[in-house]
Amino acid sequence: GVNEGYTESTGIINPVTEVLTIAGGDLDVDKFLIDTMGEDQRTVQEAMKVKALALRWTRAFIKGDTEVDPREFSGLQSRITGDQLMSAGSTSGGAALSLAKLDELIDQVDNPTHLLMSKAMRRKLTVAARNSSVGGNITYTVDAFGKQVTMYNDLPILIIDKDNEGNDILGFNEASASGAATSTSIYCVSLSDDGVTGIQNGGIDARDLGELEAKPAFRTRVEWYPGMAVFTGRSAARLRHIGNLAVVA
């Protein structure tokens, strides 16, 4: 009002610490392979090691739990609670994914940027989009590497596939509402500097330790200090208890 002052107010910043983890490993390439196939064999093995490390990080990003393994960081599954943790239904063995629930999942996230799911769930969405009685706003675009990206309601679908041991990260092996390990989840996230983001100290470091004294092999040590952070409570949400069933409207 006239001649009145403003009521002072400020935002609240909660100090939270996110820890980094130590990830890496040693790889030995026999001197015989280098002498007969060339020095580039070490480069090939290093690339495979880094790829395996990235797959292991992806599993931790989704399934990591410091209470199960204190040497890894907590992932989305253990972090998401309260209103951000939604259920597709209470059907024994898992409920069919409904597009209405998927839209509700997206609305639960501030500034959503991506959907995370398995290849099997993406297939079910594309099948539903071809079914006139179900539908679904499925579109396609091309990323910076020239690969086709499936989008739902203009959100790119990021595939969470297999870990470094070849196991499905988001397979139909999660506990359903009845307790049976027959369901999966879909995540909606805001991948941004003030949402869900990865953290690290430097990048992946590959060091040549030279030939070993104990055996005729050259050792490379790959090391990385990664972690993740979720800066706001509404930057990620999970829809669980989804059964291996066709998508419904």
Side-chain angles (χ1 to χ4, degrees), residues 51-60 63 160-170:
K51 182 178 180 180
L53 188 59
L55 294 175
R56 180 65 183 86
W57 186 91
T58 303
R59 167 166 281 279
K63 300 285 189 177
I160 306 298
D161 197 14
K162 298 181 182 296
D163 62 13
N164 57 307
E165 296 181 351
N167 301 314
D168 290 329
I169 299 175
L170 281 178

Short mmCIF file of all heavy atoms in Angstrom, two decimals, residues 51-60 63 160-170:
data_model
loop_
_atom_site.label_atom_id
_atom_site.label_comp_id
_atom_site.label_asym_id
_atom_site.label_seq_id
_atom_site.Cartn_x
_atom_site.Cartn_y
_atom_site.Cartn_z
N LYS A 51 35.03 -47.66 -20.87
CA LYS A 51 33.62 -47.96 -21.16
C LYS A 51 32.98 -48.75 -20.02
O LYS A 51 31.85 -48.47 -19.60
CB LYS A 51 33.51 -48.74 -22.47
CG LYS A 51 32.07 -49.05 -22.86
CD LYS A 51 31.99 -49.77 -24.18
CE LYS A 51 30.53 -50.07 -24.55
NZ LYS A 51 30.42 -50.78 -25.85
N ALA A 52 33.71 -49.75 -19.51
CA ALA A 52 33.20 -50.54 -18.39
C ALA A 52 32.99 -49.66 -17.16
O ALA A 52 32.01 -49.81 -16.43
CB ALA A 52 34.17 -51.68 -18.06
N LEU A 53 33.90 -48.71 -16.96
CA LEU A 53 33.78 -47.79 -15.83
C LEU A 53 32.54 -46.92 -15.97
O LEU A 53 31.82 -46.66 -15.00
CB LEU A 53 35.04 -46.92 -15.75
CG LEU A 53 35.21 -46.02 -14.53
CD1 LEU A 53 35.21 -46.83 -13.25
CD2 LEU A 53 36.50 -45.22 -14.66
N ALA A 54 32.26 -46.46 -17.20
CA ALA A 54 31.08 -45.63 -17.45
C ALA A 54 29.80 -46.42 -17.20
O ALA A 54 28.83 -45.90 -16.64
CB ALA A 54 31.10 -45.12 -18.88
N LEU A 55 29.78 -47.69 -17.59
CA LEU A 55 28.60 -48.53 -17.36
C LEU A 55 28.39 -48.77 -15.87
O LEU A 55 27.24 -48.79 -15.39
CB LEU A 55 28.75 -49.86 -18.10
CG LEU A 55 28.77 -49.79 -19.63
CD1 LEU A 55 29.06 -51.17 -20.22
CD2 LEU A 55 27.46 -49.24 -20.17
N ARG A 56 29.48 -48.95 -15.13
CA ARG A 56 29.37 -49.15 -13.68
C ARG A 56 28.86 -47.88 -13.01
O ARG A 56 28.07 -47.93 -12.07
CB ARG A 56 30.73 -49.54 -13.11
CG ARG A 56 30.71 -49.76 -11.59
CD ARG A 56 29.84 -50.94 -11.21
NE ARG A 56 29.77 -51.12 -9.77
CZ ARG A 56 28.91 -50.50 -8.98
NH1 ARG A 56 28.05 -49.62 -9.48
NH2 ARG A 56 28.90 -50.76 -7.68
N TRP A 57 29.29 -46.70 -13.50
CA TRP A 57 28.81 -45.43 -12.96
C TRP A 57 27.31 -45.27 -13.23
O TRP A 57 26.57 -44.79 -12.37
CB TRP A 57 29.58 -44.26 -13.59
CG TRP A 57 29.24 -42.93 -12.98
CD1 TRP A 57 29.87 -42.34 -11.93
CD2 TRP A 57 28.18 -42.05 -13.36
NE1 TRP A 57 29.27 -41.12 -11.64
CE2 TRP A 57 28.23 -40.92 -12.51
CE3 TRP A 57 27.20 -42.09 -14.35
CZ2 TRP A 57 27.35 -39.86 -12.61
CZ3 TRP A 57 26.31 -41.03 -14.45
CH2 TRP A 57 26.38 -39.92 -13.60
N THR A 58 26.87 -45.71 -14.41
CA THR A 58 25.45 -45.61 -14.75
C THR A 58 24.60 -46.42 -13.78
O THR A 58 23.53 -45.99 -13.35
CB THR A 58 25.21 -46.08 -16.20
OG1 THR A 58 26.01 -45.30 -17.09
CG2 THR A 58 23.75 -45.93 -16.58
N ARG A 59 25.06 -47.63 -13.43
CA ARG A 59 24.33 -48.43 -12.45
C ARG A 59 24.25 -47.70 -11.11
O ARG A 59 23.20 -47.66 -10.47
CB ARG A 59 24.98 -49.81 -12.27
CG ARG A 59 24.48 -50.58 -11.04
CD ARG A 59 24.86 -52.02 -11.03
NE ARG A 59 23.99 -52.79 -11.89
CZ ARG A 59 22.78 -53.23 -11.55
NH1 ARG A 59 22.28 -52.95 -10.36
NH2 ARG A 59 22.05 -53.94 -12.39
N ALA A 60 25.37 -47.12 -10.67
CA ALA A 60 25.36 -46.39 -9.40
C ALA A 60 24.45 -45.17 -9.48
O ALA A 60 23.79 -44.82 -8.50
CB ALA A 60 26.78 -45.97 -9.03
N LYS A 63 20.98 -47.11 -9.22
CA LYS A 63 20.77 -48.08 -8.14
C LYS A 63 21.72 -47.93 -6.96
O LYS A 63 21.61 -48.69 -5.99
CB LYS A 63 20.92 -49.50 -8.70
CG LYS A 63 19.95 -49.85 -9.82
CD LYS A 63 18.57 -50.12 -9.29
CE LYS A 63 17.65 -50.68 -10.37
NZ LYS A 63 16.31 -51.02 -9.85
N ILE A 160 18.58 -46.53 -20.26
CA ILE A 160 19.41 -47.14 -19.22
C ILE A 160 19.45 -48.63 -19.52
O ILE A 160 18.48 -49.35 -19.27
CB ILE A 160 18.84 -46.88 -17.81
CG1 ILE A 160 18.63 -45.38 -17.59
CG2 ILE A 160 19.76 -47.46 -16.75
CD1 ILE A 160 19.89 -44.56 -17.65
N ASP A 161 20.56 -49.08 -20.07
CA ASP A 161 20.61 -50.45 -20.61
C ASP A 161 21.27 -51.42 -19.62
O ASP A 161 20.71 -51.69 -18.58
CB ASP A 161 21.35 -50.43 -21.94
CG ASP A 161 21.13 -51.68 -22.77
OD1 ASP A 161 20.20 -52.46 -22.46
OD2 ASP A 161 21.87 -51.88 -23.75
N LYS A 162 22.46 -51.87 -19.89
CA LYS A 162 23.12 -52.88 -19.07
C LYS A 162 24.33 -52.29 -18.37
O LYS A 162 24.90 -51.28 -18.81
CB LYS A 162 23.56 -54.08 -19.93
CG LYS A 162 22.39 -54.81 -20.60
CD LYS A 162 22.87 -55.99 -21.41
CE LYS A 162 21.72 -56.70 -22.11
NZ LYS A 162 20.76 -57.28 -21.15
N ASP A 163 24.72 -52.92 -17.25
CA ASP A 163 25.89 -52.46 -16.53
C ASP A 163 27.14 -53.14 -17.06
O ASP A 163 27.10 -53.83 -18.09
CB ASP A 163 25.73 -52.68 -15.02
CG ASP A 163 25.59 -54.16 -14.66
OD1 ASP A 163 25.87 -55.03 -15.50
OD2 ASP A 163 25.19 -54.45 -13.51
N ASN A 164 28.25 -52.96 -16.37
CA ASN A 164 29.52 -53.52 -16.84
C ASN A 164 29.58 -55.03 -16.77
O ASN A 164 30.48 -55.64 -17.36
CB ASN A 164 30.67 -52.92 -16.02
CG ASN A 164 30.51 -53.16 -14.53
OD1 ASN A 164 29.48 -52.84 -13.96
ND2 ASN A 164 31.51 -53.71 -13.89
N GLU A 165 28.63 -55.66 -16.08
CA GLU A 165 28.59 -57.12 -16.00
C GLU A 165 27.50 -57.71 -16.89
O GLU A 165 27.22 -58.90 -16.83
CB GLU A 165 28.38 -57.55 -14.55
CG GLU A 165 29.54 -57.16 -13.64
CD GLU A 165 29.34 -57.62 -12.21
OE1 GLU A 165 28.22 -58.09 -11.89
OE2 GLU A 165 30.29 -57.53 -11.42
N GLY A 166 26.88 -56.86 -17.72
CA GLY A 166 25.87 -57.34 -18.65
C GLY A 166 24.49 -57.52 -18.04
O GLY A 166 23.62 -58.13 -18.68
N ASN A 167 24.25 -56.99 -16.85
CA ASN A 167 22.95 -57.11 -16.20
C ASN A 167 22.09 -55.88 -16.50
O ASN A 167 22.60 -54.76 -16.52
CB ASN A 167 23.12 -57.26 -14.68
CG ASN A 167 23.95 -58.47 -14.31
OD1 ASN A 167 23.74 -59.56 -14.84
ND2 ASN A 167 24.90 -58.29 -13.41
N ASP A 168 20.79 -56.09 -16.71
CA ASP A 168 19.88 -54.98 -16.94
C ASP A 168 19.79 -54.10 -15.70
O ASP A 168 19.53 -54.59 -14.60
CB ASP A 168 18.48 -55.50 -17.30
CG ASP A 168 18.44 -56.15 -18.68
OD1 ASP A 168 19.21 -55.71 -19.55
OD2 ASP A 168 17.64 -57.09 -18.87
N ILE A 169 19.97 -52.80 -15.88
CA ILE A 169 19.89 -51.87 -14.75
C ILE A 169 18.43 -51.59 -14.39
O ILE A 169 18.06 -51.53 -13.22
CB ILE A 169 20.63 -50.57 -15.08
CG1 ILE A 169 22.11 -50.87 -15.36
CG2 ILE A 169 20.49 -49.56 -13.93
CD1 ILE A 169 22.91 -49.66 -15.80
N LEU A 170 17.59 -51.43 -15.42
CA LEU A 170 16.16 -51.17 -15.20
C LEU A 170 15.33 -52.28 -15.83
O LEU A 170 14.36 -52.01 -16.54
CB LEU A 170 15.77 -49.80 -15.77
CG LEU A 170 16.14 -48.58 -14.94
CD1 LEU A 170 15.74 -47.29 -15.65
CD2 LEU A 170 15.48 -48.63 -13.56
#
